Amino acid sequence: MIVHINGDQRELSSQLQTVFDLVNDYNLSEKNVIVELNGRIIEASKHRDTPIQEGDRVELVQFVGGG
Amino acid sequence: MQERYSRQVLFDSIGEKGQEKLGQKHVCIIGAGALGTGNAEILARAGVGRLTIVDRDYVEESNLQRQQLYTEKDAKARMPKAIAAKDRLNQVNSSVTIHAEIQDVTVEEMERLAQGVDLIIDATDNFDIRFIINDVAQKFNIPWIYGGCVSSYGLSFTVIPGETPCLNCLLQTVPLGGATCDTIGVIAPVVQMVVSYQTAEALKILVEDWSSLRKKLVSFDLWDNEHVSIGVERMKNSDCPSCGDHPTYPYLSYEQQTKTAVLCGRDAVQIRPPKKMARDLDALERILESQNGEVNRNPFLVSFANGDHRMVFFKDGRVLIHGVNDISEAKSLYHKIVG
Ligand SMILES: [Zn+2]
């Protein structure tokens, strides 16, 4: 399945079905990432129930501590 | 018009009026590492009236790649960052009043530092302190600007009390673990990019051009060529304990801070006594000299190198222990020296 992540086109493995799977695949946690799916923020508590579909536009913003 | 600010005054959105406002404002910068030195230099050059710079650490060689106010001389002398930054900024713009404080920022300190301040810049390296800044900013109605970076990635967000969501709305809990500059490094361009986002927003706030604020959460990876900007207005939560309708400021009401912390950017642990103290460095120096190791001293600290470890004792009671990542090991080394 082809989706756009942070502006880049990516081919996702068929095992990745939800926002939760995607966040995990990027080695991120719902605790330190904000996810926007097709222009809407997906709350951390809904990551598991929100499917990723062909053509979706996903933005992932990770919070990092360094400075 | 002062010649030194002429190019900035020619910029329409600042102008003479904006320049006058800048000269009346007071900005508190928490942290004087990569983001702190970058923010401080730009704001001092811009003619902000007063800057307070707070940092717990001292300059080391590995800082020089990205911490723009420091020199080899500072690293050799292990100058406290706040002092080295102040010295350099005084040379950059002598008309700016610089307050330098060498200390770890606790709840109590943060509440004191916030008094009379127009803006707080986050240039820290951990979320414990950011959640304290977030609560203090809400309590005293002061804007603050988050910045973070690691590797080739950075992000920033501007928190305006009463307007935008706060850090607690965005994250709900203090993120633990995660990549640090200790584990995966950081490159200077990403520092500069975060600093640019932070200081552009700072100038807008200081000249009171509120409508020009970015409002979005912005992140970027300068190596992977990614840039993301997302609207988070709807994450503002009226039940948020920090900025909601009935705030309790959870990060101020009890001591959430760790007394020990593994420091980002180095193989080191900090130990802070529960109460602030004035350590007698002369007495300590004498004790250390009787031990098997190398003792170095400047007016602000004593350092003691022994085998793979180096311990640095600050006047306010804190100790940095280099060569360890494990808190309990650090504590045992500490207690071996100071009992
Ligand atoms: Zn909030």
Side-chain angles (χ1 to χ4, degrees):
Chain A
M1 150 171 81
I2 305 282
V3 298
H4 298 268
I5 298 174
N6 293 353
D8 286 335
Q9 196 167 295
R10 293 276 159 85
E11 168 99 56
L12 289 192
S13 125
S14 59
Q15 284 152 332
L16 302 182
Q17 297 185 339
T18 66
V19 168
F20 180 83
D21 296 339
L22 183 67
V23 164
N24 267 325
D25 193 58
Y26 272 72
N27 288 319
L28 300 170
S29 143
E30 76 275 8
K31 289 199 171 113
N32 62 14
V33 73
I34 291 182
V35 181
E36 190 190 69
L37 175 64
N38 301 323
R40 296 185 54 153
I41 305 273
I42 307 297
E43 283 174 43
S45 61
K46 301 200 170 125
H47 286 188
R48 280 172 197 275
D49 308 328
T50 307
I52 299 281
Q53 286 161 338
E54 176 80 26
D56 276 348
R57 295 186 168 273
V58 186
E59 310 288 356
L60 299 173
V61 175
Q62 183 196 1
F63 277 72
V64 296
Chain B
M1 172 174 65
Q2 286 182 63
E3 181 61 19
R4 76 176 297 154
Y5 303 122
S6 60
R7 301 306 186 270
Q8 188 167 284
V9 167
L10 281 169
F11 176 63
D12 240 10
S13 299
I14 294 182
E16 298 263 11
K17 270 197 185 134
Q19 191 62 47
E20 203 175 301
K21 283 179 181 162
L22 287 178
Q24 295 160 355
K25 296 295 166 73
H26 182 184
V27 177
C28 181
I29 301 174
I30 307 296
L35 295 178
T37 52
N39 273 281
E41 179 161 354
I42 287 182
L43 296 179
R45 286 187 190 276
V48 171
R50 280 194 292 165
L51 293 178
T52 295
I53 298 172
V54 193
D55 194 281
R56 63 186 177 189
D57 208 352
Y58 59 91
V59 182
E60 287 197 299
E61 198 184 6
S62 66
N63 302 148
L64 301 179
Q65 161 250 6
R66 67 196 182 285
Q67 302 189 13
Q68 67 188 67
L69 294 174
Y70 308 135
T71 63
E72 291 176 3
K73 206 171 138 205
D74 297 322
K76 275 205 189 79
R78 296 192 178 118
M79 285 299 284
K81 289 183 176 178
I83 303 295
K86 177 185 167 142
D87 289 349
R88 173 68 184 158
L89 293 168
N90 282 336
Q91 294 173 54
V92 166
N93 190 346
S94 58
S95 67
V96 176
T97 306
I98 313 282
H99 305 281
E101 299 206 14
I102 309 170
Q103 62 182 318
D104 197 35
V105 179
T106 60
V107 169
E108 192 187 357
E109 296 297 346
M110 196 60 235
E111 295 211 33
R112 177 182 61 79
L113 289 164
Q115 302 311 311
V117 159
D118 298 289
L119 170 67
I120 300 166
I121 303 262
D122 159 41
T124 68
D125 61 5
N126 67 84
F127 282 101
D128 285 341
I129 180 63
R130 288 188 177 102
F131 275 83
I132 293 171
I133 293 173
N134 187 59
D135 272 3
V136 167
Q138 293 296 332
K139 184 173 174 184
F140 298 109
N141 195 28
I142 302 167
W144 74 280
I145 305 174
Y146 162 67
C149 53
V150 71
S151 182
S152 55
Y153 174 85
L155 76 164
S156 184
F157 185 68
T158 305
V159 178
I160 308 289
E163 298 279 329
T164 67
C166 78
L167 187 65
N168 209 356
C169 294
L170 299 184
L171 285 176
Q172 281 130 30
T173 165
V174 182
L176 293 172
T180 71
C181 30
D182 226 1
T183 51
I184 57 173
V186 62
I187 56 169
V190 81
V191 170
Q192 296 294 326
M193 186 88 168
V194 175
V195 166
S196 295
Y197 274 111
Q198 287 183 297
T199 50
E201 291 280 281
L203 291 176
K204 296 173 197 174
I205 289 169
L206 297 172
V207 305
E208 298 164 26
D209 185 3
W210 305 101
S211 64
S212 295
L213 286 171
R214 194 186 58 242
K215 299 179 186 74
K216 293 189 171 182
L217 172 65
V218 66
S219 76
F220 38 84
D221 190 310
L222 295 180
W223 211 267
D224 291 344
N225 312 306
E226 290 181 351
H227 191 279
V228 174
S229 171
I230 62 181
V232 289
E233 301 90 331
R234 287 167 69 185
M235 295 184 80
K236 185 161 176 57
N237 173 7
S238 58
D239 294 328
C240 172
S242 297
C243 76
D245 298 338
H246 305 286
T248 57
Y249 312 118
Y251 296 91
L252 307 184
S253 56
Y254 54 98
E255 273 282 340
Q256 282 232 20
Q257 297 149 288
T258 41
K259 298 292 182 286
T260 52
V262 178
L263 299 191
C264 181
R266 59 178 59 179
D267 189 22
V269 171
Q270 170 177 266
I271 295 176
R272 177 162 45 80
K275 286 261 173 208
K276 212 170 165 184
M277 60 183 275
R279 194 184 289 285
D280 182 346
L281 295 181
D282 291 324
L284 179 66
E285 191 181 5
R286 282 192 299 275
I287 295 169
L288 292 172
E289 247 146 16
S290 68
Q291 310 266 320
N292 201 8
E294 192 202 333
V295 181
N296 276 293
R297 171 78 197 268
N298 73 27
F300 311 100
L301 53 86
V302 180
S303 93
F304 175 69
N306 178 7
D308 295 332
H309 306 295
R310 186 156 53 84
M311 306 176 80
V312 179
F313 298 81
F314 288 81
K315 237 178 183 159
D316 67 359
R318 285 179 302 114
V319 185
L320 290 185
I321 304 176
H322 297 259
V324 285
N325 273 317
D326 175 47
I327 284 172
S328 57
E329 191 192 350
K331 274 185 175 164
S332 85
L333 287 163
Y334 168 77
H335 290 300
K336 267 182 205 159
I337 298 291
V338 297

